[in-house]
Amino acid sequence: MGDIQEDMGHAVKVYKALGEPTRLKIALLLTRESNLCFTAIGEKLESVAGSTLSHHLKQLTDSGLIDSRKSGSFIHYNVNREIAEKFAPYLLA
Amino acid sequence: MGDIQEDMGHAVKVYKALGEPTRLKIALLLTRESNLCFTAIGEKLESVAGSTLSHHLKQLTDSGLIDSRKSGSFIHYNVNREIAEKFAPYLLA
DNA sequence: CCATCATTTCTACAGATATAGAACTGTAGA
DNA sequence: TCTACAGTTCTATATCTGTAGAAATGATGG
């Protein structure tokens, strides 16, 4: 078990990641439909520049809430259910 | 039941409120110890100006995550368990 | 009424952040 | 190799936000 401070720091990162409309959409999107890649996510969002999307995905992955898996020239994203369950099971509902 | 957009907007507010260290501390504080008033919260946090604390409490109450109840010249705060349960049961763990 | 305490509002400011264009890296296929 | 595509990084900018001091509001007790 990690200590409380560390856990709080983690919680802040996760909640900060979810506290922005585009990122919350991405997180919800990925709980409904798994294994989407960068471009597929971008298409579902409409009107978000690639650089912006990359920025958001970085924050989501840095928080641990979503995992990325490289496959060829694609990167597939998935919600980390364990982290979601711990901090925001709302996503999985 | 509210519609999805509305619910997402609410979720963003709650998560944004929790995505800042001082506010997360306040939320955790209030799940452990209920009915604290403004000054009591300020004392537990140490080194936060009253104006800053007021600002944070406003965001927490605006999100619905904490309720306030006026009693004389004091305002007592409590976590709204229903909202916490829905979006961030981590707080109650 | 006055002084005091609790809390908010006003004002200002430094630092964070969301956004996107342009240039870049890396992979796959022709 | 050349081209096209996937995704990142760099740079810039406008907006947002956390912070606190000072002044204001409001309730309490003497």
Side-chain angles (χ1 to χ4, degrees), chain A residues 25-36:
Chain A
K25 267 179 214 150
I26 294 171
L28 286 169
L29 202 57
L30 288 170
T31 57
R32 311 297 181 237
E33 207 164 340
S34 51
N35 240 26
L36 295 176

Side-chain angles (χ1 to χ4, degrees), chain B residues 16 20 23 49 51-52 55-56 59 72-73:
Chain B
K16 184 175 288 187
E20 200 279 331
R23 287 193 298 266
S51 53
T52 302
H55 166 74
H56 285 316
Q59 276 171 89
S73 59

Side-chain angles (χ1 to χ4, degrees), chain A residues 16 20 23 49 51-52 55-56 59 72-73:
Chain A
K16 184 174 288 189
E20 199 279 333
R23 287 193 297 265
S51 53
T52 302
H55 167 73
H56 286 317
Q59 277 173 87
S73 58

Side-chain angles (χ1 to χ4, degrees), chain A residues 8, chain B residues 20-30 36-49 52-54 56-57 60:
Chain A
M8 272 197 36
Chain B
E20 200 279 331
T22 302
R23 287 193 298 266
L24 181 60
K25 267 179 215 152
I26 295 172
L28 285 169
L29 202 57
L30 287 170
L36 295 175
C37 75
F38 186 93
T39 309
I41 296 171
E43 279 164 1
K44 303 235 175 199
L45 293 176
E46 60 187 284
S47 67
V48 174
T52 302
L53 179 56
S54 183
H56 285 316
L57 284 170
L60 284 163

Side-chain angles (χ1 to χ4, degrees), chain A residues 2-87:
Chain A
D3 68 278
I4 287 189
Q5 305 295 23
E6 197 175 305
D7 206 51
M8 272 197 36
H10 192 185
V12 167
K13 269 195 186 174
V14 171
Y15 291 134
K16 184 174 288 189
L18 291 174
E20 199 279 333
T22 302
R23 287 193 297 265
L24 181 61
K25 267 179 214 150
I26 294 171
L28 286 169
L29 202 57
L30 288 170
T31 57
R32 311 297 181 237
E33 207 164 340
S34 51
N35 240 26
L36 295 176
C37 73
F38 186 93
T39 308
I41 296 171
E43 279 164 1
K44 303 237 176 199
L45 295 175
E46 61 187 281
S47 67
V48 173
S51 53
T52 302
L53 179 56
S54 183
H55 167 73
H56 286 317
L57 285 170
K58 178 163 169 40
Q59 277 173 87
L60 285 163
T61 52
D62 282 356
S63 79
L65 189 64
I66 73 176
D67 296 323
S68 62
R69 197 168 45 75
K70 190 160 189 172
S71 163
S73 58
F74 294 82
I75 299 181
H76 295 276
Y77 295 93
N78 283 288
V79 168
N80 182 315
R81 306 239 156 203
E82 197 181 335
I83 301 295
E85 196 69 55
K86 177 169 184 180
F87 296 110

Side-chain angles (χ1 to χ4, degrees), chain B residues 71-88:
Chain B
S71 163
S73 59
F74 294 81
I75 299 182
H76 295 275
Y77 295 93
N78 283 288
V79 168
N80 181 317
R81 306 240 156 203
E82 198 181 335
I83 301 295
E85 195 68 57
K86 177 170 182 179
F87 296 110

